[in-house]
Amino acid sequence: MDPAFNDIQSNPWNEIFKIVFFPDRIYHAEYLNATRSPRYRYNVREVRSYLGINALKGEVYLDGKFLSNFLRLEYRSGRLVEQVREKKRLLNSSVIAWVRLLPEDESKKAEGRVKLNYCPWIDAYEVEIWETLEPPATSYHDFKVLDQMGRNGAITRVKAFNPALRDIKALKQIELAFRENDRNLPTGYQISDADACWDNDYSRSHQEPRTQDPSSPQNTVDDQNYLINFQRGWFLQAPDIQPVRYRNAMMDDDNPDRANDNIIDMRWIVQRELGGSTIFFHEVTIPPGKVEGTHQHIGTEELYYITEGEGIAYMRVGDDPATDKYPTVERQVMGLGKREFKELPVKSGSVIFTKSGGMHGIRNPGTEPLKFVAFLYHTI
């Protein structure tokens, strides 16, 4: 990082904004694999992080000369550990990643599997996929690095990835899923894909407006993986994004608010492009007289910010003691039966923030559309 940048962010008036600059510091160059020898130098072009996954892409230099492009993956396995324990197994020293490279040129798209080995330096599983493991004709690899190279080594090569890695700047996205190793240790029995535990971002899916039929399964894309996006910025116009329509969202069949015309619209503005732990940012429109059902969040948090119209939000009694002064009503919660809620008047500028374990819902009893934007993110 440019030393001048350090000086700028350490000025007293920038102290509160240090968090803005923090993500560029999520890795330390001395922990990259080939740095055990001073003959190698890395030029890390981009770093992305999502829920305990780090992905770094860039270039490796040997004796000051360009050697290879690389992709480094680091995985902290929090979700996979829990799944494996349920099967009375341990992750031990290795996990397997399914990787799909998505460069600008779709003809270079490729997928494959690679083994990640546990590294105590970073307290995570890691691997570096290099474009080539061969040294230049006039040079040689340092023995300190050579012993890391190979099929399942800390530095490896996947032949099918070479076309995409050859132009590392054009590698815009990668998809990832992780599974436990193919051998159970110390017993040694083989673990098939069908029996293996997988971390695929909680069986991740995303929404696309493929049809305007309410609650159509055509609008749900079953991804079953993480997306790491190296794009640096987006400029979007929300009204240009077609909404996905939902009938009786977050409601059981016996909910008294259900009706054939109880349809709300959601513009899925940003979804898999997000990093960190954020799942989506979308705009919701509830037409006059319509309802989004009350529901509980487990392992996620959600924030509603009302931008237009007026309505009634519901928050479970006790979730926020400051709401005690508002009327108490009984509402049916999706999958959980009836609970008591506080009935809260909302308008432009109102915020409803629900932590894991909390319950909320929203209704538009007025004559104009009620609109809000929502942020959802994982808590673990």
Side-chain angles (χ1 to χ4, degrees):
M1 184 177 292
D2 188 337
F5 187 82
N6 288 333
D7 294 338
I8 291 170
Q9 75 134 1
S10 61
N11 286 331
W13 51 84
N14 282 330
E15 281 290 309
I16 195 170
F17 298 115
K18 278 190 174 181
I19 190 171
V20 175
F21 309 126
F22 178 77
D24 284 337
R25 300 166 181 264
I26 63 174
Y27 74 96
H28 297 278
E30 62 265 31
Y31 296 157
L32 305 186
N33 289 326
T35 56
R36 65 166 65 174
S37 166
R39 294 177 57 207
Y40 298 82
R41 179 175 62 83
Y42 287 83
N43 177 26
V44 178
R45 289 190 168 273
E46 296 288 349
V47 183
R48 292 290 181 269
S49 180
Y50 190 89
L51 278 178
I53 301 166
N54 289 343
L56 296 72
K57 69 171 185 175
E59 302 147 352
V60 185
Y61 291 79
L62 174 60
D63 298 328
K65 296 180 180 180
F66 173 77
L67 172 64
S68 175
N69 291 319
F70 81 96
L71 174 68
R72 177 180 171 92
L73 304 176
E74 302 173 353
Y75 175 61
R76 285 178 170 77
S77 70
R79 294 155 300 288
L80 192 56
V81 163
E82 293 301 319
Q83 294 183 59
V84 169
R85 284 172 60 184
E86 289 180 359
K87 292 201 172 188
K88 312 301 181 185
R89 299 197 289 252
L90 299 173
L91 282 185
N92 291 309
S93 60
S94 300
V95 298
I96 295 171
W98 169 88
V99 184
R100 178 185 286 150
L101 304 187
L102 301 170
E104 289 178 346
D105 183 349
E106 291 192 2
S107 69
K108 298 178 181 178
K109 182 171 69 175
E111 66 180 71
R113 297 193 183 194
V114 64
K115 187 162 287 188
L116 284 71
N117 298 303
Y118 180 76
C119 173
W121 284 97
I122 62 170
D123 192 23
Y125 296 91
E126 60 87 12
V127 68
E128 289 177 16
I129 306 168
W130 288 16
E131 183 185 352
T132 180
L133 302 185
E134 297 297 324
T138 58
S139 186
Y140 60 92
H141 281 301
D142 194 293
F143 73 95
K144 294 179 181 178
V145 173
L146 191 61
D147 67 350
Q148 298 183 91
M149 294 181 170
R151 180 183 176 189
N152 293 324
I155 299 173
T156 191
R157 173 178 177 265
V158 179
K159 184 178 179 181
F161 289 175
N162 275 20
L165 293 179
R166 197 161 291 129
D167 184 1
I168 200 67
K169 292 181 182 179
L171 179 57
K172 294 302 184 183
Q173 300 178 96
I174 57 176
E175 291 179 321
L176 300 167
F178 300 89
R179 59 153 283 178
E180 60 186 309
N181 199 5
D182 51 6
R183 292 283 177 183
N184 183 56
L185 298 175
T187 59
Y189 69 82
Q190 190 166 2
I191 303 173
S192 67
D193 273 357
D195 183 45
C197 295
W198 284 85
D199 177 9
N200 55 14
D201 196 6
Y202 300 98
S203 302
R204 180 62 188 253
S205 64
H206 73 275
Q207 299 292 295
E208 292 183 4
R210 296 178 170 182
T211 173
Q212 288 298 291
D213 294 338
S215 299
S216 171
Q218 295 181 50
N219 295 325
T220 299
V221 181
D222 192 25
D223 302 298
Q224 299 284 322
N225 56 55
Y226 293 90
L227 179 72
I228 304 293
N229 197 310
F230 290 108
Q231 185 171 328
R232 297 180 182 180
W234 281 260
F235 178 59
L236 305 168
Q237 301 292 340
D240 295 339
I241 299 171
Q242 281 288 104
V244 177
R245 313 188 75 205
Y246 299 89
R247 178 180 285 113
N248 297 318
M250 301 291 186
M251 293 184 185
D252 295 319
D253 290 343
D254 60 347
N255 191 311
D257 285 324
R258 286 179 67 91
N260 286 334
D261 64 348
N262 186 46
I263 297 169
I264 63 176
D265 290 352
M266 297 186 185
R267 283 191 169 92
W268 297 87
I269 300 171
V270 188
Q271 298 177 76
R272 302 188 78 211
E273 299 85 358
L274 293 161
S277 61
T278 314
I279 304 167
F280 60 68
F281 166 52
H282 70 187
E283 179 190 66
V284 181
T285 300
I286 302 183
K290 310 309 177 187
V291 186
E292 179 188 73
T294 49
H295 54 279
Q296 183 174 37
H297 283 258
I298 297 295
T300 61
E301 298 181 357
E302 190 170 30
L303 187 151
Y304 289 175
Y305 182 80
I306 312 301
T307 59
E308 186 178 320
E310 297 183 0
I312 299 294
Y314 298 97
M315 183 177 290
R316 183 178 54 178
V317 170
D319 282 359
D320 179 3
T323 64
D324 287 351
K325 62 183 180 181
Y326 291 96
T328 299
V329 296
E330 191 175 71
R331 301 287 296 165
Q332 185 158 327
V333 182
M334 186 179 69
L336 297 174
K338 295 180 179 179
R339 298 287 190 278
E340 288 189 334
F341 283 80
K342 289 297 179 177
E343 197 172 56
L344 311 174
V346 293
K347 60 184 179 180
S348 177
S350 297
V351 176
I352 300 295
F353 179 37
T354 302
K355 301 274 281 187
S356 177
M359 297 180 182
H360 67 186
I362 195 163
R363 170 193 296 275
N364 180 4
T367 59
E368 299 295 329
L370 172 64
K371 292 187 178 183
F372 61 91
V373 293
F375 302 81
L376 182 78
Y377 53 92
H378 288 296
T379 57
I380 53 175

